[in-house]
């Protein structure tokens, strides 16, 4: 959800974007591929419903970037990872969504993840190649589900750190920020995410009128 990831080529909050598509396959598709679709010419390759998902993804990113709670969450990571603080904040938001008992149980999260993969697998021939390269790993390692646990989060932190140019802190140091400030970061999620969900629901209602 953080704009910084677009500049650096990182897109981590897949679970939030999929969840905020409300089980609508075209919205899920557009929401997940949005950062791999550049310009009007590429946008025009997709159906109006998928285009709506792409626009929704970008609206979610803008809302998130401009929210003061996101700034607070990023402030915990900034000393350790500077400009990449937004990337790790996105990842943390997905962790707390995955563990949010008001939205998922362990079983329903697993089923939700499987449903998202099913949506993508049934239309691969129409989707951007670079997205499909990433999606192969998303499905193989079940990112949407494994954001729930510390092991999956540690793996994600290491993966980001290995691809982050100019990031001097080790993944262990950055992961320690997550564990040390866990409750404060959880409070950020709890203050932010309901507002984001309400924003998206209102946006979709207005578009469908």
């Amino acid at each position: 959800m953080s704009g910084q990831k677009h500049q650096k080529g990182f897109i981590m909050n897949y679970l939030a974007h999929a969840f905020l598509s409300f089980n609508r396959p075209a919205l899920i598709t557009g929401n997940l591929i949005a950062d791999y679709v550049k310009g009007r010419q590429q946008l025009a390759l997709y159906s109006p419903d998928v285009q709506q998902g792409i626009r929704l993804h970008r609206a979610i990113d803008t809302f998130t970037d401009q929210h003061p709670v996101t700034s607070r969450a990023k402030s915990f990571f900034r000393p350790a990872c500077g400009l990449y603080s937004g990337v790790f904040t996105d990842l943390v938001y997905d962790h707390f969504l995955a563990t949010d008992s008001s939205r998922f149980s362990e079983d329903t999260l697993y089923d939700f993840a499987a449903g998202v993969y099913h949506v993508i697998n049934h239309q691969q021939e129409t989707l951007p190649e670079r997205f499909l390269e990433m999606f192969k790993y998303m499905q193989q390692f079940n990112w949407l589900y494994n954001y729930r646990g510390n092991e999956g989060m540690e793996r994600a932190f290491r993966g980001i750190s290995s691809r982050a140019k100019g990031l001097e802190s080790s993944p262990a140091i950055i992961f320690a920020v997550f564990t040390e400030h866990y409750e404060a970061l959880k409070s950020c999620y709890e203050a932010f995410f309901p507002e984001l969900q309400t924003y998206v629901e209102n946006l979709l209602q207005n578009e469908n009128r």
Side-chain angles (χ1 to χ4, degrees), residues 21 38 58 60 86 93 112 141 151 199:
S21 299
K38 307 298 182 184
R58 293 168 182 169
I60 289 169
Y93 278 158
F112 177 82
F141 296 104
E151 183 178 345
Y199 167 76

Side-chain angles (χ1 to χ4, degrees), residues 76 96 178-190:
F76 293 108
F96 289 117
F178 169 60
T179 56
E180 179 182 354
H181 299 287
Y182 189 90
E183 291 303 323
L185 289 165
K186 183 178 182 180
S187 294
C188 288
Y189 162 81
E190 290 171 343

Side-chain angles (χ1 to χ4, degrees), residues 18-190:
F19 176 77
L20 293 170
S21 299
F22 303 108
N23 295 310
R24 293 164 56 180
L27 285 187
I28 291 171
T29 302
N31 229 329
L32 292 189
I33 70 172
D35 286 313
Y36 298 87
V37 177
K38 307 298 182 184
R40 292 183 180 180
Q41 190 171 14
Q42 289 189 14
L43 184 65
L45 297 173
Y46 299 97
S47 70
D49 287 346
V50 172
Q51 290 184 33
Q52 184 184 26
I54 293 170
R55 291 194 305 271
L56 180 60
H57 176 109
R58 293 168 182 169
I60 289 169
D61 283 351
T62 299
F63 182 91
T64 303
D65 288 342
Q66 295 176 352
H67 202 287
V69 172
T70 298
S71 296
R72 186 163 78 239
K74 289 165 65 173
S75 71
F76 293 108
F77 287 103
R78 193 170 291 113
C81 56
L83 293 175
Y84 289 96
S85 59
V87 179
F88 290 102
T89 297
D90 276 358
L91 181 58
V92 166
Y93 278 158
D94 261 12
H95 167 74
F96 289 117
L97 174 58
T99 58
D100 185 342
S101 61
S102 70
R103 291 175 171 84
F104 290 114
S105 68
E106 187 172 353
D107 289 341
T108 60
L109 178 62
Y110 189 90
D111 291 342
F112 177 82
V116 172
Y117 305 146
H118 178 80
V119 167
I120 299 301
N121 280 322
H122 277 71
Q123 51 185 326
Q124 289 205 19
E125 66 279 1
T126 68
L127 302 182
E129 184 176 341
R130 286 181 56 245
F131 168 79
L132 292 174
E133 290 172 2
M134 177 280 300
F135 176 74
K136 176 177 65 176
Y137 295 103
M138 178 193 289
Q139 183 171 225
Q140 179 180 352
F141 296 104
N142 201 357
W143 291 355
L144 299 182
Y145 176 77
N146 283 321
Y147 285 148
R148 180 181 178 89
N150 274 4
E151 183 178 345
M153 289 291 285
E154 282 190 278
R155 186 183 302 116
F157 272 64
R158 289 196 302 270
I160 294 170
S161 298
S162 69
R163 291 179 287 126
K165 295 179 181 178
L167 181 61
E168 296 181 359
S169 297
S170 71
I173 289 173
I174 302 170
F175 189 76
V177 174
F178 169 60
T179 56
E180 179 182 354
H181 299 287
Y182 189 90
E183 291 303 323
L185 289 165
K186 183 178 182 180
S187 294
C188 288
Y189 162 81
E190 290 171 343

